[in-house]
Amino acid sequence: WKEYLKIGGYLAVSEITWLTPSRPREIEKFWNEEYPEISTASTKISQLEDNGYSLQGYFYLSPKSWLEGYYDPMASRFQAFLDRNNHSDLALKVVRDSEDEIALYKTYQVYYSYGFYIARREE
C-alpha cells in the first residue's frame, strides 16, 4: 500500500490473528491450512514496523461480534441457501464447511480473532 499512501497517511487493516502464543493442535492445523499467514499481533505489528509504519492502535473483535454479527446471521440463512440451490452437493458442502468452522470457533474462540491495526506511514 505504500505507493498509494503518502508519508504521514494512515492505514487501517484487519487480519486474522492468534490471541495466544500457543494453542491446541486442531485449531492451529485448521488455520495454517486455511490461511498460513495467520500470526500473533506482535508479529503483525513487527511486519508493519519493518515496512515503515508505526502502530497507532490495535484491537480485536470480541466473541460476541463473531457470533452475533457474523456466524449467527449466516447460520440462520443456511436452509434458505440450500433450498435456493436445490440441496446440491456443492451447496451441502458449503453449509457443512461453514458449520464446521462455526463449531471450531465456538470451541476455540479464546485463541484467535480478527485484529484491527491502525498504522501511520513514517517513511
Side-chain angles (χ1 to χ4, degrees), residues 9-121:
Y10 288 85
L11 177 71
V13 295
S14 67
E15 180 79 338
I16 194 71
T17 302
W18 292 125
L19 301 177
T20 60
S22 61
R23 54 233 139 236
R25 195 168 85 134
E26 180 182 18
I27 195 61
E28 187 153 356
K29 181 179 184 295
F30 171 81
W31 277 110
N32 285 333
E33 289 174 3
E34 292 296 316
Y35 191 72
E37 293 82 8
I38 189 171
S39 195
T40 61
S42 60
T43 297
K44 296 299 179 181
I45 292 165
S46 290
Q47 290 172 335
L48 286 166
E49 291 171 344
D50 291 346
N51 284 283
Y53 296 91
S54 63
L55 185 70
Q56 303 296 299
Y58 162 76
F59 66 93
Y60 63 89
L61 286 180
S62 69
K64 182 178 178 179
S65 295
W66 277 77
L67 294 169
E68 292 179 14
Y70 181 57
Y71 283 137
D72 291 348
M74 180 195 323
S76 73
R77 293 190 293 270
F78 286 161
Q79 189 60 52
F81 171 78
L82 289 170
D83 292 345
R84 262 192 331 274
N85 290 281
N86 300 314
H87 294 258
S88 71
D89 289 342
L90 182 56
L92 288 166
K93 180 177 179 353
V94 167
V95 169
R96 275 194 301 270
D97 288 349
S98 297
E99 289 171 334
D100 290 346
E101 182 179 327
I102 292 167
L104 280 173
Y105 181 74
K106 287 180 177 180
T107 301
Y108 297 112
Q109 62 189 271
V110 299
Y111 298 101
Y112 66 98
S113 188
Y114 267 95
F116 284 82
Y117 303 83
I118 297 121
R120 183 174 184 266
R121 182 174 173 201

